[in-house]
C-alpha cells in the first residue's frame, strides 16, 4: 500500500490520472510488487491514490525488507518517468514554489 | 453551535510524552486519545501476559498517566487509551493506584474489554468458521492453529460510549480501533446512535478520527513538504474541533512546532488507506472522496462533507502466530570501489551459506546507501560511493539457522577486503506473522466495568 499526493493544479491532476497506469507502476517496481495495483481517483483533493497489493514481502512483521512498512515506496514512485507537456511541468514547479512562499522554508 | 475539542495524544507505543502533556495543559481540550497498538503489539503483549499474569498492558501507561492525569483532572479533560493491550483490567488497576496516590479521589476509570477473541476461537472454528486470510486468500487457518498467540477484534465505540455515560473520566481499553478513541467521545457528546439518521455524521467522526489518530503525522511529522515544517523537535500534536453538524477544524496547540496545512491533512487523509471510497471502521464506513478540505487560517484546516454508509456486519480480527526467526547483520565498505567490495562480500556470504548448509525460507541482500529502501526501482550503476553497507537478512524456522547470518557477516571482516567494518551484531528475533481475517459482529461482545480512585 502507499499513498501519493503530489498535485494541487487540476491540469497536473488530469495529466497524472491519464499518464499513470497500473502497468507502468508494475514495470517501475518489478519484483517488489507481487499483487494487483489499484488506482483511485480523488478529484476532491486532487490525489491519485495508489494501492499496491502484496508489496511488503509478506507483511510488516515477517518481511526481510529494511523498510518493513513500505514507507519509502511513495518516494520511489516519484522517480517513475512519465510524459508531460512543458506547461504542466512549469505549473507543477510553480506550485512547489508557492507552497514554500506560503509556509516559508524552515530547512534548506 | 455545540462543539468539542479532542487531542491526538499518541501515534504508537514509544511516541513522545511532552507534546501530549502540552496538549492537555495548553490545548483547551475536552478529550485526549492515546493509541499505543499496532498490528503486532497484541501478540507481544499476550506473550508477556503468558509469563506474568499481572502484565500484558503497555508499560508506558504508568509514566504517561503520572504526567497526564494531574492536568487532565485539573482541566476536566477525559482520557481514552487502548494501552490496556492484552490486560486492560490490570492496566486500569495501575491507573486507579496512580490516581489515588495523586489525590484524585473519586476519579472514575472505565475498563473496556471484549476484543480478545482468542478464548472462543476454537469454539467458533467448531461452528464451522474458517477465518480466511484477507491478504493471501488462504481459506482456512488450520495450518497455523497450533501457533496462534493472539486474536483480537478491532472493536468500535459502543462500550466506550456506555462507560462515558456512566461518568468515566479515564477509559482503559484493549484493541478498540484507533478510530473509536475519537468517534466515541463525539457520539457521546452529541447523543448520536447508530441509526440511519446519523450515518453521515458518524462518517465525519470517522474521518476526523482517522486524521488525528496518528498524532504528529498530520501536523507535519511525515510530510512531502518537510522543508516547510518548523521546529519538529517541539512538534504540536493535533487538535480536532468538532461541531455538531459534522464539520471540524484540525489545528494544534499554540506555540508549538510542526505545521497544519491543507497539504499535511491531505497527506494524512490518504495514509494507511485501501479504497478511499470505503474506509471501513467498526463504527461505520466513510467515503474520503466526498471530503472537502479548506485551509481557513494559519495552522487551521476545515474538514467537511464526509458521506458514509452504516456499520459493516463483520469486524476485522488480527491473528498473530509464531513463524520462526529473522536474523540480520550488516557491514560497511569504504571507498575506493565501495559497491564492488560490497557485491563481492555478498557473493562470499552466499557461498558460505552453501558450505554451512543454511536452511532458510528466504535470504535477502541489500546494499545500504544504494538500494535498501528503494529496492528494484534503483539502478545499480557503480557510482563513486564514499561508502556502501551490505545487509544480509535471513528468515528461518529455527533460532540456530537464523544465527548463521551473524557468524558469516563477522567472517567478512577477515575474508572480504581491506577496510571493512561492522557494528555490533544483534541476536535473531522471533517472528510473529499476521493473519488478518473477519468475524461476524454478533460473535464479539464488548463490555465495561468501572473502578474508582
Amino acid at each position: 500500500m502507499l499513498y501519493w499526493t503530489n498535485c494541487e493544479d487540476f491540469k497536473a491532476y488530469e495529466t497524472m490520472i491519464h499518464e499513470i497506469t497500473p502497468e507502468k507502476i508494475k514495470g517501475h517496481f518489478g519484483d517488489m510488487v507481487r499483487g494487483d495495483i489499484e488506482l483511485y481517483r480523488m478529484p476532491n483533493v486532487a490525489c491519485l491514490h495508489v494501492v499496491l497489493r502484496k508489496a511488503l514481502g509478506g507483511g510488516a512483521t515477517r518481511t526481510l525488507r529494511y523498510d518493513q512498512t513500505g514507507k519509502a515506496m511513495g518516494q520511489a514512485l516519484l522517480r517513475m518517468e512519465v510524459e508531460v507537456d512543458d506547461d504542466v511541468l512549469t505549473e507543477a514547479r510553480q506550485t512547489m514554489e508557492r507552497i514554500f512562499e506560503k509556509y516559508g522554508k524552515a530547512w534548506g | 453551535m455545540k462543539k468539542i475539542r479532542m487531542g491526538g495524544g499518541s501515534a504508537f507505543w514509544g511516541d513522545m510524552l511532552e507534546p501530549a502533556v502540552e496538549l492537555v495543559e495548553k490545548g483547551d481540550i475536552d478529550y485526549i486519545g492515546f493509541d499505543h497498538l499496532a498490528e503486532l503489539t497484541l501478540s507481544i503483549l499476550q506473550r508477556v501476559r503468558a509469563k506474568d499474569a499481572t502484565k500484558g498492558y503497555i508499560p508506558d501507561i504508568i509514566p504517561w498517566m503520572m504526567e497526564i492525569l494531574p492536568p487532565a483532572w485539573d482541566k476536566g479533560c477525559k482520557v481514552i487509551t487502548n494501552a490496556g493491550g492484552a490486560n486492560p483490567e490490570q492496566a486500569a488497576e495501575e491507573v486507579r493506584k496512580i490516581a489515588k496516590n495523586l489525590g484524585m479521589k473519586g476519579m472514575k476509570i472505565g475498563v473496556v474489554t471484549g476484543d480478545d477473541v482468542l478464548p472462543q476461537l476454537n469454539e467458533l472454528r467448531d461452528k464451522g468458521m474458517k477465518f480466511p486470510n484477507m491478504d493471501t486468500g488462504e481459506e482456512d487457518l488450520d495450518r497455523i492453529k497450533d501457533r496462534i498467540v493472539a486474536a483480537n477484534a478491532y472493536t468500535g465505540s459502543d462500550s466506550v460510549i456506555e462507560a462515558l455515560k456512566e461518568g468515566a473520566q479515564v477509559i482503559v481499553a484493549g484493541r478498540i480501533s484507533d478510530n473509536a478513541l475519537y468517534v466515541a467521545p463525539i457520539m457521546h457528546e452529541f447523543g448520536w446512535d447508530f441509526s440511519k439518521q446519523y450515518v453521515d455524521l458518524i462518517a465525519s467522526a470517522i474521518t476526523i478520527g482517522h486524521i488525528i489518530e496518528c498524532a504528529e503525522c498530520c501536523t507535519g511529522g511525515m510530510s512531502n513538504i518537510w522543508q516547510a515544517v518548523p521546529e519538529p523537535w517541539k512538534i504540536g500534536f493535533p487538535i480536532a474541533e468538532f461541531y455538531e453538524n459534522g464539520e471540524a477544524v484540525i489545528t494544534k496547540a499554540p506555540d508549538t512546532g510542526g505545521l497544519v496545512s491543507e497539504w499535511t491533512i491531505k497527506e494524512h487523509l490518504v495514509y494507511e488507506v485501501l479504497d478511499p471510497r470505503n474506509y471501513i471502521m467498526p463504527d461505520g464506513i466513510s467515503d474520503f472522496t466526498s471530503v472537502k478540505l479548506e485551509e481557513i487560517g494559519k495552522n487551521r484546516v476545515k474538514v467537511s462533507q464526509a458521506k458514509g454508509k452504516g456499520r459493516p456486519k463483520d469486524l476485522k480480527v488480527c491473528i498473530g502466530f509464531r513463524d520462526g526467526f529473522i536474523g540480520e547483520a550488516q557491514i560497511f565498505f569504504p571507498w575506493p570501489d565501495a559497491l564492488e567490495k560490497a557485491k563481492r562480500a555478498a557473493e562470499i556470504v552466499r557461498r558460505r551459506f552453501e558450505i554451512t548448509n543454511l536452511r532458510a525460507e528466504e535470504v535477502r541482500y541489500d546494499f545500504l546507501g544504494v538500494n535498501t529502501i528503494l529496492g528494484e526501482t534503483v539502478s545499480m550503476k557503480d557510482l563513486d560511493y564514499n561508502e556502501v553497507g551490505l545487509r544480509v537478512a535471513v528468515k528461518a524456522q529455527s533460532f540456530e539457522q537464523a544465527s548463521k547470518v551473524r557468524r558469516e557477516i563477522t567472517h567478512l571482516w577477515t575474508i572480504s577486503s581491506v577496510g571493512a567494518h561492522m557494528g555490533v551484531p544483534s541476536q535473531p528475533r522471533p517472528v510473529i506473522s499476521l493473519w488478518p481475517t473477519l468475524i461476524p459482529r454478533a460473535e464479539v461482545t464488548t463490555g465495561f466495568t468501572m473502578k474508582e480512585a
Side-chain angles (χ1 to χ4, degrees):
Chain A
M1 283 167 274
L2 67 94
Y3 66 95
W4 193 30
T5 56
N6 191 32
C7 176
E8 191 172 69
D9 309 283
F10 216 75
K11 206 189 254 179
Y13 172 76
E14 288 290 339
T15 307
M16 183 166 74
I17 60 174
H18 291 110
E19 284 299 318
I20 296 173
T21 60
E23 294 72 29
K24 260 187 201 159
I25 295 173
K26 181 82 193 156
H28 185 63
F29 280 105
D31 276 351
M32 269 177 104
V33 177
R34 302 281 171 91
D36 291 342
I37 292 166
E38 297 160 15
L39 300 179
Y40 297 97
R41 295 176 183 185
M42 300 178 73
N44 57 320
V45 285
C47 282
L48 181 66
H49 182 64
V50 181
V51 176
L52 310 174
R53 301 274 181 181
K54 298 197 169 88
L56 289 179
T61 68
R62 64 82 61 218
T63 184
L64 290 187
R65 289 195 199 159
Y66 194 83
D67 183 13
Q68 295 172 321
T69 50
K71 293 277 192 272
M73 294 179 85
Q75 300 284 293
L77 188 54
L78 293 179
R79 275 192 163 174
M80 189 174 80
E81 287 185 11
V82 287
E83 291 286 327
V84 295
D85 292 339
D86 283 347
D87 59 330
V88 174
L89 197 59
T90 307
E91 251 186 44
R93 290 205 173 110
Q94 283 166 352
T95 301
M96 287 311 287
E97 280 165 22
R98 271 206 311 278
I99 285 171
F100 289 117
E101 243 164 59
K102 184 173 180 184
Y103 304 113
K105 226 177 187 182
W107 188 270
Chain B
M1 195 190 313
K2 193 179 171 188
K3 66 172 181 188
I4 65 164
R5 282 169 62 94
M6 310 182 296
S10 168
F12 61 101
W13 176 11
D15 207 347
M16 297 170 288
L17 172 58
E18 304 80 16
V21 175
E22 199 169 28
L23 259 186
V24 179
E25 285 176 346
K26 299 198 303 193
D28 188 25
I29 50 173
D30 307 298
Y31 289 87
I32 185 164
F34 289 93
D35 171 36
H36 293 287
L37 303 179
E39 284 76 0
L40 178 62
T41 320
L42 260 313
S43 292
I44 295 170
L45 294 174
Q46 281 289 9
R47 286 184 150 190
V48 172
R49 189 181 177 168
K51 285 188 195 136
D52 179 349
T54 67
K55 296 280 185 327
Y57 52 85
I58 300 282
D60 276 358
I61 193 172
I62 293 172
W64 255 238
M65 288 305 129
M66 286 173 75
E67 297 294 323
I68 292 290
L69 290 187
W73 177 253
D74 194 37
K75 295 186 182 296
C77 171
K78 292 175 184 172
V79 179
I80 308 179
T81 173
N82 60 17
N87 199 348
E89 170 62 34
Q90 188 63 38
E93 182 53 26
E94 299 300 330
V95 174
R96 190 193 65 78
K97 284 187 220 160
I98 292 166
K100 188 162 179 269
N101 290 339
L102 293 172
M104 296 156 190
K105 197 168 159 34
M107 178 184 263
K108 288 171 112 177
I109 300 141
V111 192
V112 172
T113 53
D115 58 295
D116 183 358
V117 296
L118 189 59
Q120 65 259 44
L121 206 59
N122 280 335
E123 196 186 308
L124 295 168
R125 279 171 44 79
D126 289 344
K127 280 163 100 174
M129 285 182 209
K130 297 199 183 311
F131 298 106
N133 186 316
M134 288 164 74
D135 279 350
T136 63
E138 207 172 331
E139 278 180 14
D140 193 335
L141 62 69
D142 194 59
R143 178 174 70 80
I144 60 142
K145 69 173 190 302
D146 298 327
R147 293 184 280 153
I148 293 173
V149 285
N152 294 80
Y154 287 76
T155 58
S157 294
D158 322 53
S159 295
V160 183
I161 295 170
E162 286 166 32
L164 289 170
K165 268 186 195 157
E166 292 296 316
Q169 284 137 307
V170 178
I171 292 195
V172 181
R175 182 67 279 185
I176 58 171
S177 70
D178 312 351
N179 199 254
L181 297 168
Y182 304 99
V183 173
I186 293 170
M187 291 186 65
H188 166 65
E189 290 288 338
F190 298 132
W192 301 344
D193 57 36
F194 290 103
S195 61
K196 213 167 179 186
Q197 57 179 318
Y198 297 115
V199 162
D200 285 343
L201 289 168
I202 291 171
S204 298
I206 288 168
T207 307
I208 295 305
H210 165 70
I211 291 171
I212 69 169
E213 81 198 359
C214 280
E216 67 274 29
C217 295
C218 77
T219 58
M222 200 186 261
S223 179
N224 283 281
I225 55 165
W226 56 275
Q227 285 161 305
V229 178
E231 303 182 304
W233 47 88
K234 47 174 272 202
I235 198 162
F237 279 6
I239 297 169
E241 204 172 277
F242 197 99
Y243 294 82
E244 200 167 13
N245 65 357
E247 293 181 355
V249 175
I250 309 289
T251 182
K252 64 187 182 72
D255 307 319
T256 53
L259 174 71
V260 177
S261 74
E262 189 189 333
W263 282 78
T264 62
I265 299 304
K266 184 195 286 197
E267 287 170 318
H268 211 73
L269 181 70
V270 293
Y271 178 73
E272 291 183 338
V273 170
L274 290 171
D275 178 356
R277 298 164 304 186
N278 294 291
Y279 183 69
I280 305 170
M281 282 290 118
D283 294 315
I285 298 170
S286 183
D287 177 359
F288 291 167
T289 67
S290 67
V291 171
K292 187 176 175 195
L293 303 179
E294 296 161 89
E295 191 164 319
I296 56 168
K298 194 171 169 15
N299 288 312
R300 288 178 71 79
V301 173
K302 184 178 166 188
V303 185
S304 60
Q305 297 182 11
K307 292 270 173 284
K309 293 170 194 165
R311 292 197 285 184
K313 64 179 177 38
D314 296 324
L315 295 176
K316 185 176 171 181
V317 174
C318 193
I319 296 175
F321 63 98
R322 290 189 303 277
D323 192 13
F325 295 84
I326 289 177
E328 65 174 276
Q330 58 194 46
I331 184 164
F332 273 84
F333 299 91
W335 181 93
D337 305 316
L339 182 55
E340 280 310 306
K341 286 171 179 161
K343 282 181 180 169
R344 179 168 171 268
E347 180 60 17
I348 295 170
V349 173
R350 224 185 312 266
R351 298 293 183 96
R352 286 288 306 162
F353 282 159
E354 281 172 21
I355 292 169
T356 61
N357 191 25
L358 173 73
R359 289 189 303 280
E361 296 158 37
E362 194 184 343
V363 183
R364 181 182 171 94
Y365 300 87
D366 288 300
F367 298 100
L368 299 160
V370 181
N371 68 350
T372 314
I373 58 178
L374 297 179
E376 279 87 335
T377 67
V378 162
S379 146
M380 286 294 285
K381 268 193 305 210
D382 194 355
L383 300 172
D384 196 21
Y385 294 102
N386 290 325
E387 55 195 48
V388 171
L390 168 67
R391 169 183 179 263
V392 184
V394 168
K395 180 162 186 298
Q397 279 304 317
S398 78
F399 182 89
E400 290 67 30
Q401 293 296 322
S403 296
K404 284 185 178 172
V405 68
R406 190 163 51 126
R407 295 191 68 90
E408 293 312 329
I409 287 280
T410 310
H411 296 155
L412 289 176
W413 222 352
T414 48
I415 62 166
S416 64
S417 54
V418 61
H421 199 78
M422 55 189 287
V424 182
S426 59
Q427 296 277 358
R429 59 180 186 272
V431 176
I432 303 284
S433 286
L434 300 178
W435 184 286
T437 187
L438 296 172
I439 192 169
R441 183 181 287 274
E443 300 292 346
V444 180
T445 312
T446 63
F448 79 98
T449 56
M450 199 75 89
K451 291 176 181 289
E452 206 171 306

